[in-house]
Amino acid sequence: MEDMLFYDRMQFAFTITFHYLFPQLTMGLSLMIVYFKGKFLYSKLEKYNDAAKFWMKIFALNFAMGVVTGIPMEFQFGTNWAKFSELTGGIIGQTLAMEGMFSFFLESSFLGLFLFGEKLLGHKLHFLTGFLVFLGSWASGYLIIATHSWMQYPVGYEILENGKFVLNNFGALFSNPWLLPSYLHNQAASIVTSSFVVAAIGAFYLLNNKHNEFGKLFVKTGVVFGLISSLLVAFPTGDLAAKNVVKHQPATFAAMEGIFETEEGGSEIVLIGQPNMLEKKLDNKVAVPNILSFLTYQKWDAQIKGLNEFDESVHPTNVPGLYYAYHIMVGLGTIFIGLMLLASVQLFRKKLFKTKWILWSLMFMLPFPYIANTTGWYTAELGRQPWLVYNLLRTADGASPTVSSGNTLFTLLGFIGLYLLLGLLFLMLAGKIINKGPQLNQH
């Protein structure tokens, strides 16, 4: 049973991690494409229209990869997690079906019109199709996170005698206190990814001395969007999301922060340290006194319960994994703010395009927002374990009892091989588009 559960979770973790590499770019990029197209309508400068069409090619490629890698996710609800689907399908089926029916069709229909319909539609209607693609992609994120939020903080349900969850308040799904902070935090993080991608491609053009006009436009746009979104990820969205964890999942919060013992007179914030699960403490820690209490409760001496005060049955299953995922996310987020702040200062001083070390930094930072987003999701998911639906349904009780661990491992190895090929194909196609660069005056 333990083996089966481990492989079920590994397969879902692998397929969803790979899948989310694509939507996290498309959601943020759709906003930047609307910005470029809107700027063209306002200024009548062709470079903005060319930029919008260039990034829509990258968007379309990501969107296609997102669809291909998203479909197996749906099937796993029926294969590996049949018991979970049977018990909670009456609730999570609502939001997942709405995501497929409304957002996905909105996004895919108008994506085709944006890519191929500019001459037919004219610029204003072309802008509208871009805006509807943006709306579809953000609605998609909203409905997925509504599903996730219900699993973190279940609301509006009742449990029947046969153990099935049914919805008795549809509105509660969308007024869930967990939903808005999580959604805004996630969307700001997706804008961080797209900002760094846009800035990195711009820096690549400038350092290679090709497509210089677009290089400058992409770096400038990426840095401005990047600074705003990096700050928003930290405050208020990250702060609000963390406060939800403090309130509704206090043992998870203690594990995330590495607080094993309750401290009198205020909690320190841990910068570095390794969780020692045998002795229930942090080894080699570097910490700043009282800061965590202030960030959490706006009081220097507020008490935060340590993990050792909670019964072990409610401890997160993998405390070191949760602790490291959270600290990697926060550490990278801090670096993003620092780099974008330096780049913005140089942009303001009109020296950014000549500051080689910042351009190199922007280019090499390209993979790190993906890592930060992934570890952010790991924090949310590892924090909820050992529960599928927090405090109501354990992960062990949601797996399919009839699918053997051997079958799951076999298909997991198949996914790894297939996704490796898909990933290489994606990089080749994206590289080709980037190398060719924006096409001028094809109107």
Side-chain angles (χ1 to χ4, degrees):
M1 181 63 189
E2 283 297 310
D3 263 5
M4 187 181 80
L5 193 60
F6 173 76
Y7 290 128
D8 282 345
R9 290 182 65 202
M10 281 297 290
Q11 187 179 81
F12 204 85
F14 173 76
T15 50
I16 206 159
T17 299
F18 190 85
H19 166 69
Y20 194 63
L21 295 173
F22 305 103
Q24 68 172 285
L25 179 66
T26 56
M27 287 187 295
L29 199 55
S30 62
L31 178 66
M32 298 178 83
I33 289 165
V34 168
Y35 163 78
F36 282 131
K37 189 70 193 184
K39 194 96 170 148
F40 164 70
L41 286 177
Y42 177 76
S43 68
K44 297 291 183 283
L45 291 172
E46 288 289 357
K47 69 175 180 180
Y48 291 113
N49 199 37
D50 295 328
K53 291 200 293 186
F54 169 76
W55 284 110
M56 196 48 110
K57 287 180 192 168
I58 300 285
F59 178 99
L61 181 59
N62 269 270
F63 180 76
M65 291 293 290
V67 172
V68 168
T69 55
I71 291 167
M73 306 299 318
E74 304 278 344
F75 284 114
Q76 283 176 66
F77 284 120
T79 53
N80 303 7
W81 301 101
K83 200 70 190 162
F84 169 65
S85 303
E86 184 192 339
L87 295 175
T88 64
I91 295 178
I92 64 162
Q94 310 270 349
T95 42
L96 291 175
M98 286 167 73
E99 191 269 337
M101 284 299 292
F102 305 131
S103 343
F104 175 72
F105 281 116
L106 180 68
E107 196 178 356
S108 50
S109 308
F110 287 100
L111 172 60
L113 284 170
F114 191 94
L115 283 170
F116 306 112
E118 187 185 19
K119 286 178 182 169
L120 189 69
L121 294 166
H123 289 303
K124 284 182 180 170
L125 281 175
H126 191 236
F127 169 81
L128 181 62
T129 60
F131 180 76
L132 288 167
V133 169
F134 157 72
L135 205 64
S137 69
W138 278 52
S140 195
Y142 184 75
L143 291 161
I144 293 291
I145 290 173
T147 313
H148 172 261
S149 299
W150 184 83
M151 291 165 71
Q152 295 283 9
Y153 184 65
V155 290
Y157 68 93
E158 60 179 288
I159 304 173
L160 302 179
E161 282 180 20
N162 59 7
K164 288 189 178 180
F165 293 75
V166 290
L167 202 58
N168 61 11
N169 182 350
F170 184 72
L173 276 179
F174 301 104
S175 56
N176 188 339
W178 199 281
L179 172 54
L180 199 59
S182 298
Y183 177 65
L184 295 175
H185 187 57
N186 187 74
Q187 299 312 97
S190 77
I191 300 171
V192 170
T193 299
S194 55
S195 303
F196 271 91
V197 168
V198 170
I201 303 308
F204 170 73
Y205 287 156
L206 290 176
L207 290 166
N208 281 288
N209 198 23
K210 61 187 220 179
H211 310 299
N212 279 337
E213 190 184 1
F214 289 105
K216 288 176 182 175
L217 174 61
F218 295 165
V219 168
K220 182 182 175 182
T221 309
V223 165
V224 172
F225 271 82
L227 178 64
I228 295 165
S229 56
S230 298
L231 289 167
L232 286 174
V233 163
F235 187 86
T237 68
D239 182 55
L240 288 169
K243 284 186 167 126
N244 258 340
V245 181
V246 174
K247 189 175 176 184
H248 303 298
Q249 299 180 4
T252 299
F253 185 73
M256 275 162 52
E257 295 286 359
I259 306 293
F260 283 91
E261 296 294 338
T262 305
E263 292 168 54
E264 299 300 324
S267 267
E268 61 193 10
I269 193 162
V270 176
L271 304 178
I272 299 171
Q274 298 89 47
N276 177 340
M277 296 314 293
L278 284 174
E279 296 175 37
K280 297 282 190 288
K281 67 183 183 73
L282 279 184
D283 292 336
N284 313 311
K285 74 175 173 185
V286 177
V288 184
N290 297 78
I291 297 286
L292 188 61
S293 291
F294 180 75
L295 289 175
T296 310
Y297 293 110
Q298 284 69 59
K299 290 180 187 166
W300 294 103
D301 57 352
Q303 193 182 79
I304 292 171
K305 276 178 88 172
L307 192 61
N308 295 343
E309 281 203 32
F310 296 93
D311 189 84
E312 285 212 15
S313 64
V314 298
H315 284 198
T317 316
N318 182 353
V319 172
L322 171 61
Y323 168 86
Y324 287 124
Y326 176 68
H327 279 78
I328 289 167
M329 173 189 74
V330 172
L332 285 174
T334 310
I335 292 166
F336 299 158
I337 292 170
L339 179 59
M340 285 303 186
L341 204 54
L342 280 170
S344 299
V345 168
Q346 290 297 82
L347 183 66
F348 182 73
R349 295 174 66 205
K350 297 189 167 37
K351 291 184 176 177
L352 177 58
F353 307 133
K354 295 276 186 271
T355 313
K356 287 278 173 73
W357 71 268
I358 290 187
L359 294 178
W360 279 105
S361 302
L362 287 170
M363 192 168 80
F364 280 114
M365 282 303 280
L366 189 140
F368 289 97
Y370 287 98
I371 295 168
N373 265 278
T374 302
T375 50
W377 272 106
Y378 281 11
T379 303
E381 295 302 306
L382 290 170
R384 195 182 64 245
Q385 296 303 322
W387 305 98
L388 272 175
V389 181
Y390 194 71
N391 264 344
L392 293 173
L393 178 65
R394 286 187 170 266
T395 307
D397 300 327
S400 303
T402 54
V403 179
S404 72
S405 54
N407 282 340
T408 310
L409 178 58
F410 177 75
T411 49
L412 171 60
L413 294 171
F415 275 126
I416 291 169
L418 194 60
Y419 282 10
L420 180 66
L421 290 173
L422 271 176
L424 290 170
L425 179 66
F426 169 78
L427 289 173
M428 278 167 54
L429 292 170
K432 212 168 177 183
I433 296 168
I434 290 160
N435 199 38
K436 195 175 179 186
Q439 299 307 294
L440 294 164
N441 300 320
Q442 289 191 348
H443 310 291

